Amino acid sequence: MRQSRLFLTTLREVPADAEVISHQLMLRAGLMRQLTSGVYELLPLGWRVLYKIEQIVREEMDRAGAQEVLLPTIQPLELWERSGRSEDYGPLMFRLTDRHERAMVLGPTHEEVITSLVQQEIHSYRQLPVILYQIQTKFRDEPRPRAGLLRGREFRMKDAYSFDLDEAGLDRSYRAMFEAYCRIFDRIGVRYRAVDADPGAIGGEGGTHEFMVLSDAGEDTIAGCTSCDYAANIEKAAGQALPRADATATPAPQTVPTPGTRTIEDLVRVLNVDAGQIIKVVVYVADGQPVAACLRGDHEVNEVKLKNHLGVRTLELATPEQVLQWTGKPVGFVGPQCGLRVVFDRDIWSVTDGVVASDTPDAHDIHVVPGRDFPVGETADIRNVREGDACPKCGGSLRFYRGIEVGHVFKLGTKYSKVFGAVYQDENGQERTIIMGCYGLGTTRVIQAVIEQCHDADGIIWPMAIAPYHVHIVPVNTADPAQQQTAEALYEQLRSRGVEVLLDDRDERPGVKFKDADLIGLPLRITVGRKAGDGVVELKERATGQVSELTLEQAVAQIVERVNPSR
Ligand code: ATP
Ligand code: MG
């Protein structure tokens, strides 16, 4: 491609509303533009990257035995009402009404559509197993679109669905998809980690893993063990229970005035205690009902764990007015004996000399021991792990990492097949429910996840497999006939060998061309300068900055070898 003809404008300035580096570079390197909040146009360079990512995904899905389909974007809302997910997705779904007043949605995902399709098409065990996938635009009216393609409202996803006879079959399909994901991310050239995850709104009974690209721009926190391979999303991560401590020496409780203390920090200061001694109560509304969570002051409620424990659909913090109405106490003065249903965190037992809100107004009780001074009933692991907590697998120490979720594999079981009546007849003519799995991979999000890992102060550093072009040819002075001819000759030779080349044939100053080349970040650059007359050019590797002077033949041979276009 001749750069003079390319639909591309690079930007020198950092766009004001882009905070995350990959978002800035997408705009600056001319890969995309914004149409409206969370909605972007991919320009030629950006589209080429996406195309290559999706092609790798396609090849690895096909290799794993999955079959490609294309499902509709427009879906009847009725399907979502049947599965019960209309409510779960709520305002996240773009909803519309057709001319016959029928409620429709723009698909945020496709479990409902594919299960109702399979229900119609599959009847016998002979037709199973099958894995179907598509690569398609998805729509989610995200409450906080951010960081460009990392969280868009319109984005691209590969979604695959497996249909099996039994659990053993599902295990095989899940493994095949898991391994395909590893090959995809290896081929793309990004560092990732597969972590244990919570099933979230998709629901389901079995295992689930998220594929995370490690990056500080990520919204997810991963707890990983420093000694073994345990890694889990913080939503799911569990440490080992803290030891139940000996409190026999603790004196009898005593009430002390604590007016105006609203927070844990206030209490720590006023009472001169550790946050870990304070026993706090956080009041929630769970499916409309009040529920209290009781845990140590230095621990945080994990709302996903609490929600799972309660088996509820919605969980929100109660307002101060609700707290007052339900407990008769203001926020900060609610104790475990508040009269509500209380779920205790299991590590409450590690408190030996605690502080709780007193029955006396504006006061707290000190020297309190759980179980001795108040009853501990319903108990579960409802807190976030902390760095330094013991790994559940090996007892080692947990550490936090930030990650961008680029893929997710779930064992769904029969959640959707039951609802949609997706059944098959087994060898004995018995009717059985199909066992499902689903496997998402955000292809537009991957573009930026890669940039987060692959950039420097000058711009992007594309891995070869997904670079918009393999090589950038930059003649320093296009007015010099020797340089121009050499650049043209290289351009033709490389293209005829299957190498994708961007030729900077613009009449620009060398400094401008080099800045743009670094910003766009093609893996290899050939600088055609004064030595062109002697048949010598310079080959520069974007990632390392390594430069070598080569004859044209050597340059072509080395590039062809590096690009390996036959792959
Ligand atoms: P998140 O927790 O980041 O919102 P999710 O759990 O909602 O993700 P899934 O429903 O499992 O995501 O979707 C599968 C994949 O689609 C994700 O792993 C991610 O790569 C991608 N994805 C999801 N939401 C978005 C979005 N708003 N913008 C871009 N990619 C997305
Ligand atoms: Mg989401």
Side-chain angles (χ1 to χ4, degrees):
M1 182 73 203
R2 290 173 191 280
Q3 205 166 331
S4 62
R5 308 304 316 144
L6 185 61
F7 187 68
L8 167 76
T9 333
T10 54
L11 311 175
R12 288 280 165 267
E13 300 298 316
V14 176
D17 57 343
E19 281 164 21
V20 169
I21 187 77
S22 59
H23 184 194
Q24 295 172 358
L25 288 172
M26 288 294 289
L27 298 168
R28 286 189 53 212
L31 294 149
M32 73 173 187
R33 293 290 178 254
Q34 186 184 70
L35 178 63
T36 182
S37 165
V39 180
Y40 294 88
E41 296 130 344
L42 281 185
L43 307 187
L45 291 182
W47 167 247
R48 288 179 72 92
V49 174
L50 179 65
Y51 185 87
K52 289 188 178 188
I53 291 170
E54 294 188 346
Q55 210 45 35
I56 291 173
V57 170
R58 197 169 265 127
E59 285 169 20
E60 294 302 336
M61 284 293 119
D62 292 346
R63 191 210 295 259
Q67 301 171 56
E68 188 166 6
V69 295
L70 183 59
L71 303 173
T73 286
I74 297 186
Q75 310 177 2
L77 177 65
E78 185 262 325
L79 284 180
W80 290 77
E81 279 167 350
R82 258 208 267 169
S83 71
R85 284 209 301 177
S86 172
E87 221 176 293
D88 292 345
Y89 269 75
L92 202 62
M93 275 208 286
F94 279 102
R95 294 159 195 258
L96 58 153
T97 312
D98 72 10
R99 63 170 70 214
H100 306 293
E101 297 294 317
R102 277 187 293 248
M104 313 294 269
V105 303
L106 300 182
T109 176
H110 281 73
E111 282 80 10
E112 281 77 0
V113 170
I114 196 113
T115 314
S116 78
L117 171 70
V118 162
Q119 182 269 327
Q120 292 164 46
E121 301 300 317
I122 295 214
H123 304 288
S124 156
Y125 70 93
R126 290 193 198 86
Q127 295 170 282
L128 295 172
V130 64
I131 304 179
L132 302 173
Y133 78 96
Q134 63 167 346
I135 302 176
Q136 194 214 30
T137 302
K138 299 279 192 267
F139 299 86
R140 294 184 186 178
D141 196 358
E142 297 277 357
R144 277 174 297 281
R146 76 177 269 278
L149 301 181
L150 285 184
R151 184 171 297 286
R153 297 198 299 161
E154 173 173 337
F155 60 97
R156 302 263 297 176
M157 195 204 288
K158 183 285 300 174
D159 44 325
Y161 306 88
S162 64
F163 303 88
D164 278 284
L165 297 167
D166 50 25
E167 291 290 339
L170 171 59
D171 285 345
R172 278 192 295 276
S173 297
Y174 188 83
R175 184 113 304 266
M177 288 295 107
F178 190 99
E179 285 166 3
Y181 275 42
C182 295
R183 280 197 300 270
I184 288 166
F185 295 120
D186 285 341
R187 279 183 63 184
I188 287 173
V190 72
R191 290 191 313 281
Y192 66 95
R193 204 155 169 183
V195 309
D196 261 0
D198 182 85
I202 300 250
E205 298 139 20
T208 142
H209 286 89
E210 286 168 351
F211 283 77
M212 293 281 188
V213 166
L214 302 181
S215 154
D216 286 340
E219 290 178 69
D220 288 275
T221 302
I222 304 160
C225 179
T226 50
S227 315
C228 76
D229 66 355
Y230 176 81
N233 193 309
I234 188 147
E235 289 182 348
K236 161 94 184 232
Q240 294 191 5
L242 296 176
R244 189 170 175 156
D246 178 17
T248 41
T250 309
Q254 192 186 326
T255 302
V256 291
T258 52
T261 53
R262 297 194 69 83
T263 64
I264 299 294
E265 294 77 54
D266 292 343
L267 277 178
V268 165
R269 208 180 48 248
V270 169
L271 297 175
N272 194 22
V273 291
D274 287 337
Q277 288 177 262
I278 297 167
I279 293 166
K280 71 177 171 190
V281 172
V282 187
V283 182
Y284 284 93
V285 192
D287 281 356
Q289 299 297 316
V291 173
C294 181
L295 68 171
R296 272 170 45 163
D298 59 343
H299 290 162
E300 268 171 30
V301 179
N302 179 315
E303 294 182 0
V304 173
K305 288 183 184 175
L306 180 58
K307 207 166 146 185
N308 289 344
H309 170 77
L310 296 170
V312 294
R313 202 163 230 174
T314 62
L315 184 76
E316 282 162 40
L317 267 182
T319 62
E321 295 73 38
Q322 285 171 319
V323 174
L324 191 61
Q325 185 195 337
W326 290 330
T327 67
K329 302 271 164 83
V331 171
F333 290 91
V334 180
Q337 289 173 287
C338 56
L340 303 178
R341 173 179 175 187
V342 181
V343 181
F344 291 89
D345 181 66
R346 62 180 181 174
D347 286 332
I348 203 73
W349 293 117
S350 64
V351 178
T352 51
D353 188 353
V355 175
V356 297
S358 176
D359 269 346
T360 316
D362 287 334
H364 279 78
D365 295 339
I366 59 171
H367 304 315
V368 170
V369 178
R372 187 190 76 179
D373 301 316
F374 63 85
V376 175
E378 189 176 351
T379 307
D381 172 13
I382 56 163
R383 73 166 174 99
N384 284 333
V385 291
R386 295 195 310 174
E387 285 197 303
D389 280 355
C391 167
K393 219 165 143 184
C394 77
S397 181
L398 296 180
R399 235 203 84 180
F400 286 173
Y401 307 86
R402 304 292 289 174
I404 301 169
E405 181 199 320
V406 285
H408 206 163
V409 291
F410 290 96
K411 288 185 183 175
L412 286 170
T414 55
K415 172 170 169 159
Y416 296 92
S417 38
K418 261 198 195 130
V419 173
F420 289 96
V423 295
Y424 68 93
Q425 290 217 327
D426 72 8
E427 285 144 299
N428 308 316
Q430 282 271 321
E431 191 169 272
R432 293 186 185 280
T433 305
I434 298 175
I435 314 272
M436 289 176 59
C438 73
Y439 316 91
L441 192 157
T443 56
T444 40
R445 185 179 279 184
V446 167
I447 305 176
Q448 274 190 224
V450 169
I451 297 178
E452 284 298 328
Q453 274 187 2
C454 307
H455 71 268
D456 62 15
D458 297 321
I460 304 171
I461 306 173
W462 288 113
M464 189 63 86
I466 62 165
Y469 291 90
H470 300 133
V471 184
H472 212 151
I473 300 181
V474 182
V476 175
N477 177 5
T478 36
D480 173 352
Q483 290 188 29
Q484 170 134 31
Q485 281 159 21
T486 304
E488 291 286 343
L490 276 170
Y491 181 56
E492 289 309 326
Q493 280 183 42
L494 286 168
R495 291 203 317 155
S496 71
R497 305 285 296 271
V499 178
E500 299 166 14
V501 190
L502 184 61
L503 170 63
D504 193 348
D505 57 343
R506 297 172 304 161
D507 181 18
E508 282 283 4
R509 282 180 290 115
V512 171
K513 291 186 176 186
F514 291 144
K515 264 205 153 47
D516 276 347
D518 281 344
L519 180 59
I520 293 168
L522 303 187
L524 299 171
R525 183 177 95 197
I526 301 181
T527 311
V528 182
R530 255 184 248 122
K531 292 190 183 163
D534 310 326
V536 172
V537 294
E538 195 185 274
L539 179 64
K540 182 172 180 188
E541 195 175 348
R542 176 70 181 85
T544 59
Q546 211 172 36
V547 175
S548 39
E549 285 203 338
L550 303 169
T551 65
L552 302 196
E553 294 70 38
Q554 286 171 330
V556 171
Q558 279 201 16
I559 290 168
V560 168
E561 165 144 355
R562 290 286 302 280
V563 171
N564 191 12
S566 63
R567 175 161 186 173

